[in-house]
Amino acid sequence: MKVKKQTLLLLACSVWSIAGINIMRLGIIAYADYLTWENYTLSALIFMLFYFLIFSKLVRKHTKRIGELTGEKQFFLKFFDIKSFSIMAIMMTLGIVLRANSAVPQRFIAFFYTGLGTALLLAGIIFGFNYTQIVCIRGSKRNNG
């Protein structure tokens, strides 16, 4: 299945946003017994670390990579490269194993998942913003050209 290459940004937006919402939801559910300023601060710190040090860079990298793909139509899974799919699979597996085996306390799930999920969701939103910019710019050039 091939899609227009800018649609890859919309797919990345969807995948990252859905993952972010699901992870954030697990954190918020766990937060019920841990509503403290210390945990709010830890969530904010996790958010900042993951978003600014990792996810914002990945969004820029993949947006640039997608823009540089040759050919208008691309295989729909090309919104990520192999390395990113591998990292995503490892993170998901690790998260599932840790939660399934109760290897970390609920307090950790609360602040860590809330911060991580929020960072993922913001990255997804930025992919959507990048898609909208490209589509609007392309549409504007067509209408003015």
Side-chain angles (χ1 to χ4, degrees):
M1 284 185 35
K2 290 190 173 190
V3 297
K4 291 182 181 178
K5 72 178 181 179
Q6 69 264 22
T7 303
L8 296 174
L9 293 172
L10 197 55
L11 290 169
C13 167
S14 299
V15 169
W16 284 62
S17 296
I18 290 167
I21 289 168
N22 283 326
I23 292 169
M24 189 171 52
R25 181 184 62 80
L26 293 171
I28 290 170
I29 290 168
Y31 240 116
D33 295 327
Y34 304 101
L35 301 173
T36 67
W37 287 107
E38 179 184 69
N39 289 333
Y40 300 149
T41 302
L42 289 169
S43 288
L45 181 62
I46 295 298
F47 164 78
M48 289 187 288
L49 287 172
F50 275 90
Y51 182 75
F52 292 108
L53 296 179
I54 301 170
F55 297 152
S56 65
K57 292 175 184 177
L58 285 174
V59 171
R60 282 193 298 274
K61 172 189 159 189
H62 287 296
T63 299
K64 182 177 188 262
R65 183 185 56 76
I66 288 167
E68 293 171 349
L69 290 171
T70 57
E72 184 60 25
K73 297 265 185 163
Q74 297 292 325
F75 183 61
F76 77 102
L77 290 178
K78 279 197 171 182
F79 66 88
F80 269 179
D81 56 16
I82 297 293
K83 180 181 175 184
S84 294
F85 272 116
S86 299
I87 291 169
M88 180 178 67
I90 290 166
M91 287 180 67
M92 287 173 60
T93 302
L94 183 61
I96 291 167
V97 168
L98 288 174
R99 277 191 12 263
N101 293 313
S102 301
V104 292
Q106 280 297 106
R107 176 178 176 252
F108 176 83
I109 300 292
F111 75 77
F112 188 83
Y113 275 47
T114 302
L116 178 65
T118 304
L120 279 165
L121 177 57
L122 180 57
I125 290 168
I126 300 300
F127 270 121
F129 178 77
N130 292 345
Y131 168 81
T132 302
Q133 275 193 314
I134 289 169
V135 169
C136 289
I137 289 169
R138 184 177 261 177
S140 174
K141 285 182 181 177
R142 281 189 197 142
N143 293 337
N144 294 331

